[in-house]
Amino acid sequence: MSAPPSSPTAIIGAGPAGLMAAEALAAAGHAVAVYDSMASPARKFLRAGIGGLNLTHSEPFEAFLGRYGAAAGPLRPMLAAFGPEAVRTWAAGLGIDTFVGSSGRVFPVGMKAAPLLRAWLRRLDARGVRLYPRHRWLGWDGQGRHLFATPDGQRTVDAPATVLALGGASWPRLGSDGGWRSILEARGIAVAPFQPANCGFDADWSAHFAQRHAGAALKPVVLSFAGRSLRGEMVVTRTGIEGGAVYALSAALRDAIAASHGATLNVDLRPDWDLARLQAALARPRGSRSLSTHLERTAGLRGAAAGLLREVLDADTLAAPWRLAAAVKALPLRLLRPRPLAEAISTAGGVDFAELDDGLMLHRLPGTFVAGEMLDWEAPTGGYLLTASLATGRRAGLAAAKWMSG
């Protein structure tokens, strides 16, 4: 491998945020070099797209913006400049048509991430962007040059400007391990502690329930917590629960667990039945039937749903039709802790927005910009993560181009 050039702008991290920053800089006429620790770019992006790449969401902008919680304020101008419609237009420019699914989520035709990434890399290559894989960023040397660990040993790179897009700390095997945090903190930059986002939770099942029902999907269910209810899917895992509806409530659940060492999630196992109908069904004579058979024949509760009732409820409640019906409509599921950060889909925490100017440049390190999941924001799945990563990458790239020109 030949030595990377010393003069191009350095993009460190070849995920969506870094590649979008590279695109913005290249479009402005700057030479760009992208460095990444992995053997190939956008590994997490490709992994997330295996089951169907969710690019963005079609809901109205203010509702879309509200999904970012406390970070909606600083993200507003970036998402206003490059939001859901802009993402679809950008994908179309790469030859990737998109469609809106029944949930309002936006997907590429074909559903896969790989065709979009291939088209994107071809366009970046045509614009002169150069990619250097297997370059793990170690920080700066004494002269302020970037220091990388490579298969050929350590290498230094001087750059007129830098965009850091190293990701959060989830899925470390795909490259985003949060190792940059100590490097920035050593420079006096405030970094909010990492926390799992869009994650599963432990409920500490009995061995019998875990062995019998791990992997079972319960749908539709309605999950309720802290005044919010969501209809969707909940999946039983070996240690607890996960799934789309769980992820959407994960920030509130995680924070409640941190504050009080546990949180109680209410699960409606039969959302399409009202309480009166359920009470009438369960009050029918059981005769010699087992509880499992009775639940299935009268209320359609079978498999993991019936097992969950037996796991959570005491014998007296299971034997009392009126109390059992109430529990089916609001089963109190005690959650003890989020799953480890390495298993989370995304990360909360990161570089505090107060450390950055409007162009995402670090006040303490002029010429160094930060984008993507390195920043302190979080959002549910549904296209919000990718859209904000692209929007912040674009903002950082445009600002870096302007900084070098001015």
Side-chain angles (χ1 to χ4, degrees), residues 25-69:
L25 278 155
H30 295 279
V32 182
V34 180
Y35 305 89
D36 195 85
S37 63
M38 304 301 287
S40 58
R43 295 288 290 274
K44 187 176 177 182
F45 174 73
L46 287 173
R47 177 65 182 82
I50 287 177
L53 178 65
N54 190 188
L55 280 174
T56 188
H57 203 287
S58 63
E59 67 187 342
F61 180 74
E62 290 301 323
F64 184 91
L65 184 65
R67 306 299 184 186
Y68 297 91

Side-chain angles (χ1 to χ4, degrees), residues 2-399:
S2 61
S6 59
S7 58
T9 302
I11 309 294
I12 303 178
L19 295 179
M20 184 57 80
E23 182 166 322
L25 278 155
H30 295 279
V32 182
V34 180
Y35 305 89
D36 195 85
S37 63
M38 304 301 287
S40 58
R43 295 288 290 274
K44 187 176 177 182
F45 174 73
L46 287 173
R47 177 65 182 82
I50 287 177
L53 178 65
N54 190 188
L55 280 174
T56 188
H57 203 287
S58 63
E59 67 187 342
F61 180 74
E62 290 301 323
F64 184 91
L65 184 65
R67 306 299 184 186
Y68 297 91
L75 288 175
R76 176 183 285 273
M78 303 171 219
L79 291 168
F82 197 82
E85 284 302 317
V87 170
R88 298 187 71 181
T89 300
W90 166 78
L94 291 169
I96 304 297
D97 292 330
T98 58
F99 69 95
V100 179
S102 59
S103 64
R105 299 183 179 197
V106 176
F107 300 92
V109 173
M111 300 293 287
K112 300 300 182 183
L116 187 151
L117 180 61
R118 286 195 295 267
W120 196 5
L121 292 175
R122 285 195 298 268
R123 185 161 76 183
L124 291 173
D125 182 68
R127 293 179 177 178
V129 175
R130 295 295 172 256
L131 177 65
Y132 296 94
R134 297 188 176 93
H135 277 62
R136 181 176 179 81
W137 187 60
L138 303 176
W140 296 272
D141 68 6
Q143 287 72 51
R145 298 172 299 185
H146 293 296
L147 185 62
F148 293 96
T150 81
D152 301 322
Q154 288 192 354
R155 177 168 289 157
T156 56
V157 171
D158 196 11
T162 300
V163 176
L164 298 176
L166 288 154
S170 63
W171 293 12
R173 66 187 183 280
L174 300 181
S176 53
D177 60 7
W180 52 266
R181 178 182 175 184
S182 60
I183 298 172
L184 295 191
E185 287 181 330
R187 295 295 184 108
I189 296 164
V191 181
F194 295 130
Q195 299 182 81
N198 293 297
C199 59
F201 292 86
D202 285 343
D204 282 358
W205 306 129
S206 66
H208 172 78
F209 179 81
Q211 183 177 9
R212 187 175 180 85
H213 298 295
L218 296 170
K219 58 181 180 179
V221 294
V222 170
L223 306 184
S224 300
F225 183 75
R228 187 180 178 197
S229 295
L230 287 172
R231 184 185 178 99
E233 178 182 80
M234 182 179 80
V235 178
V236 176
T237 68
R238 182 179 55 82
T239 63
I241 59 170
E242 62 182 19
V246 178
Y247 301 151
L249 294 170
S250 63
L253 288 166
R254 178 198 66 217
D255 293 346
I257 289 171
S260 57
H261 308 290
T264 299
L265 176 70
N266 286 323
V267 182
D268 184 348
L269 293 169
R270 292 298 272 143
D272 296 327
W273 286 33
D274 62 25
L275 180 60
R277 180 184 177 187
L278 196 57
Q279 287 173 335
L282 292 174
R284 293 172 190 162
R286 176 174 157 184
S288 61
R289 291 196 300 262
S290 68
L291 177 62
S292 296
T293 302
H294 184 65
L295 289 171
E296 180 174 356
R297 290 188 178 181
T298 60
L301 294 161
R302 60 179 66 86
L308 192 59
L309 292 169
R310 290 192 298 270
E311 180 75 4
V312 174
L313 302 177
D314 58 36
D316 289 341
T317 301
L318 290 170
W322 296 91
R323 292 170 60 188
L324 177 57
V328 170
K329 294 298 293 179
L331 185 68
L333 185 57
R334 187 68 175 170
L335 303 178
L336 303 180
R337 55 196 163 268
R339 292 298 297 163
L341 184 59
E343 297 180 17
I345 291 175
S346 59
T347 305
V351 176
D352 193 320
F353 278 101
E355 297 284 352
L356 305 158
D357 68 10
D358 291 342
L360 301 179
M361 185 172 74
L362 288 164
H363 297 299
R364 297 175 185 269
L365 296 172
T368 299
F369 302 78
V370 181
E373 283 194 62
M374 285 185 70
L375 300 169
D376 184 15
W377 61 275
E378 62 177 307
T381 58
Y384 309 103
L385 295 167
L386 181 55
T387 301
S389 292
L390 294 171
T392 56
R394 179 177 180 272
R395 172 59 64 94
L398 291 173

